[in-house]
Amino acid sequence: MEAKATLKYARISPRKVKIVLDLIRGKDAGTAMAILKNTNKSASEYLVKLLGSAIANADNNFNMDVTKLYVSECFVCPGPTLKRIMPRAKGSADRILKRTSHVTIVVKERD
């Protein structure tokens, strides 16, 4: 049995999210939440809410024991990229890519 939570179209680069996801993969849910709350990265704000949602889904939808939960899977996929321009010298322009992310966290119960 597994519970899942997904965050789509988060306005943060997938590369930045992956760094934080690697810290919590395979950890107990409580430990993972503590790691996220004490990590000084911008992605951890998104992931605290997402992990809380996955834990709530496990508790309310599947009646799992919250104390036995662990992060079995967590991954990030790139979402659509917003393309913007920045004016440069002599009438030219540089392209700015504002990347988005789709993040998924799956929690399971330890046996």
Side-chain angles (χ1 to χ4, degrees):
M1 185 80 67
E2 64 182 26
K4 183 190 291 191
T6 305
L7 170 65
K8 292 192 169 194
Y9 305 104
R11 257 299 286 124
I12 188 167
S13 169
R15 185 175 175 179
K16 293 177 183 177
V17 178
K18 186 181 183 310
I19 293 169
V20 183
L21 284 179
D22 290 341
L23 295 174
I24 64 167
R25 189 173 288 114
K27 301 274 196 312
D28 290 332
T31 307
M33 188 65 84
I35 289 170
L36 290 175
K37 286 184 178 177
N38 291 303
T39 301
N40 190 19
K41 293 280 189 185
S42 58
S44 56
E45 286 182 41
Y46 293 103
L47 297 178
V48 164
K49 291 180 80 171
L50 188 61
L51 181 60
S53 178
I55 293 169
N57 289 342
D59 186 22
N60 296 320
N61 299 343
F62 301 105
N63 296 321
M64 293 184 193
D65 185 10
V66 177
T67 58
K68 294 182 181 178
L69 292 178
Y70 74 102
V71 180
S72 63
E73 281 182 69
C74 55
F75 56 91
V76 59
C77 300
T81 301
L82 306 173
K83 291 159 178 92
R84 302 292 183 258
I85 60 163
M86 177 179 278
R88 305 308 287 182
K90 299 181 182 177
S92 63
D94 278 349
R95 177 172 274 186
I96 294 177
L97 302 176
K98 295 183 177 257
R99 302 186 188 277
T100 60
S101 301
H102 300 321
V103 188
T104 304
I105 293 181
V106 179
V107 293
K108 287 184 181 176
E109 222 172 12
R110 272 205 209 280
D111 297 331

